[in-house]
Amino acid sequence: MVIKVTAQSEPYLILQTESGNRHLPLLGSNCWTIGRSDDNNFVLPDQWISRNHAMLQSMENGEFYLIDLGSRNGSFVNGRRVSVPVTLHNGDLLTFGQTNLHFYCPHPDIATAATPTPTDSQDFTATAMLNVRRLISVMVVDIRDFTVMTRQLDETVLSETIGTWFRRAGEIIGEYGSGVDKYIGDAVMAVWIHGPQGVEPTEILRIIRAINALAKMTSQLHEEFPLPFSLRIGAGLNTGYAMVGNTGSGDRPDYTALGDTVNAAFRFESSTKQLGLDIAIGATTYDCLEELGTTDNLFQRYTVTMKGYDTPILTYAGTFKDLERFLQRH
C-alpha cells in the first residue's frame, strides 16, 4: 500500500485500515498510550493487542520513544520486536498485533531574522546554545545483570518484563516530581531542578523515596514473570550545578543537562558494582540528607577511582535495606 503523506509541521501517526488511512496527531501531551482498553489515547480494536499495549513518549529534545508496556504479543518497529525503549525515526512502521501504523515526525525548515546568512567564504553552522546554569540533582538507575538475563529468558517474557519495568519506572519518577530525561539501554536518567535559593533537604528526601520505590518495584517483578532470578537495580545520585537547555544544533535540538554533575552520577552508579552496594551518592547530596538527621550507619564514606577522573572521588554508599530504615524514620 502506498501512503500519501501531506506536509505537516507536527508529529503524527497514520493508521492503516480497510476503509482508508486515519491521521492521528501527537499533540497536547508528551505521552500517548496504545491498546484495546478505552482508557488509552489511541484505542485499537484488535484482538491481538493487549488492553494496555505500548506507549509513545516525546522528550524535550524532540525525540520520540516507543515503549512496549509488557504486551503479550509484542511491539515491532520495522518488523523487529522491541524489548527496551527505542528511538523512532520519521517514516518508521509500528506494528501492534495485526495493526500497522506509520510514525511521522517532520522537521520543518527554521528561518529567523536573527539567523546569519552564510556566504561563500563563511563556514557557518547554526547552533543554538540556549543553556542556563542550574542547580540540579541527577539520578541514574540501572538494572543489574541485565545481559545475563537476556541469555536465559524467552524473548517474549523478556519484552514483557522490561516493558513493564520501564513503564512503572516512568510512573514512579513522575510521581516524585521529575520525568525520564534519557533512556540508555537498560537504565534511566532523571533530573530534578532546584530553585535559586539552593537545595532543600526535603527535595533530596523526595528523590531518595523515588529510588526506594524503584528498588521495591524491581524486586517484585519476579512475582509476575518467570524470571531466572529476582531483579535488582543500582542507583547513583549527585547534586550540583550543570548546564541545562539546548545543546544541539538548530535542526537537531537536544534539551538535557550536561556537565560534571551528570557524569559523576553515572560514575557513582557504576561504583556500586565495585563496592558491592546498592546506591552511591555525592557529597553535596549527603550533606542535604545530614540536615534531616539520623543518617548514622546509613551511608559509609568511600573513596573510589572512577573512569575519566584523574584523582579518586569521594562518595557515600549503602544498601537499600539501610535506605528503607532511614525512610521509616522520616
Side-chain angles (χ1 to χ4, degrees):
M1 176 183 295
V2 177
I3 299 178
K4 182 179 180 181
V5 180
T6 57
Q8 297 281 339
S9 60
E10 304 89 6
Y12 61 99
L13 298 172
I14 291 292
L15 170 63
Q16 299 175 233
T17 69
E18 293 181 357
S19 58
N21 296 323
R22 289 177 54 196
H23 180 275
L24 306 176
L26 298 171
L27 299 173
S29 179
N30 65 347
C31 180
W32 301 264
T33 56
I34 299 168
R36 284 191 297 109
S37 175
D38 291 338
D39 60 357
N40 290 285
N41 299 103
F42 300 126
V43 180
L44 303 178
D46 182 336
Q47 63 175 332
W48 300 102
I49 293 178
S50 300
R51 292 180 60 82
N52 299 103
H53 195 102
M55 177 173 67
L56 289 173
Q57 183 173 358
S58 67
M59 311 303 285
E60 289 187 351
N61 64 0
E63 290 184 338
F64 277 76
Y65 284 91
L66 172 67
I67 306 168
D68 185 86
L69 299 180
S71 65
R72 179 62 58 184
N73 294 314
S75 301
F76 298 80
V77 176
N78 300 323
R80 297 186 62 180
R81 184 166 185 162
V82 301
S83 57
V84 298
V86 295
T87 304
L88 297 179
H89 299 92
N90 190 42
D92 278 347
L93 172 65
L94 315 183
T95 303
F96 311 109
Q98 296 183 344
T99 302
N100 291 325
L101 300 96
H102 278 83
F103 169 79
Y104 292 101
C105 186
H107 297 283
D109 294 335
I110 300 174
T112 64
T115 302
T117 301
T119 64
D120 292 338
S121 62
Q122 179 184 26
D123 183 13
F124 173 75
T125 301
T127 301
M129 296 299 291
L130 305 177
N131 296 301
V132 179
R133 190 169 185 264
R134 298 293 298 272
L135 181 61
I136 66 172
S137 288
V138 183
M139 180 198 74
V140 177
V141 174
D142 173 81
I143 301 177
R144 290 287 183 263
D145 301 320
F146 178 76
T147 302
V148 175
M149 187 177 67
T150 60
R151 300 194 189 105
Q152 300 182 28
L153 272 186
D154 173 80
E155 186 182 59
T156 301
V157 177
L158 176 66
S159 177
E160 293 177 6
T161 303
I162 299 305
T164 299
W165 185 82
F166 275 112
R167 172 170 56 85
R168 293 179 182 172
E171 292 172 350
I172 290 170
I173 292 170
E175 179 184 348
Y176 286 92
S178 184
V180 175
D181 182 271
K182 297 286 184 187
Y183 291 106
I184 312 101
D186 56 343
V188 295
M189 164 185 158
V191 174
W192 281 260
I193 299 179
H194 305 295
Q197 74 282 358
V199 186
E200 293 292 333
T202 52
E203 294 180 278
I204 300 300
L205 181 62
R206 180 170 59 176
I207 302 173
I208 289 293
R209 291 189 186 279
I211 295 174
N212 186 59
L214 288 167
K216 284 185 175 181
M217 177 273 289
T218 305
S219 67
Q220 294 167 355
L221 282 178
H222 72 282
E223 299 173 3
E224 301 179 48
F225 302 99
L227 305 181
F229 48 82
S230 177
L231 284 183
R232 60 192 184 92
I233 59 172
L237 177 61
N238 194 34
T239 303
Y241 283 93
M243 298 305 294
V244 179
N246 175 25
T247 59
S249 62
D251 62 339
R252 291 189 63 84
D254 184 12
Y255 294 97
T256 188
L258 285 178
D260 186 64
T261 297
V262 179
N263 296 336
F266 280 90
R267 301 297 182 250
F268 287 147
E269 187 280 318
S270 296
S271 74
T272 61
K273 300 171 186 176
Q274 58 180 285
L275 294 172
L277 297 170
D278 300 319
I279 177 173
I281 66 177
T284 301
T285 309
Y286 181 78
D287 290 342
C288 290
L289 286 178
E290 274 207 315
E291 292 185 39
L292 296 170
T294 64
T295 56
D296 294 342
N297 301 319
L298 171 60
F299 294 108
Q300 298 299 316
R301 177 172 171 166
Y302 297 90
T303 301
V304 295
T305 301
M306 300 198 295
K307 182 179 179 181
Y309 290 80
D310 296 331
T311 58
I313 302 297
L314 176 67
T315 186
Y316 295 83
T319 68
F320 288 138
K321 288 184 178 179
D322 294 331
L323 191 65
E324 175 74 13
R325 285 195 291 269
F326 171 76
L327 291 174
Q328 287 175 353
R329 297 195 293 264
H330 294 82

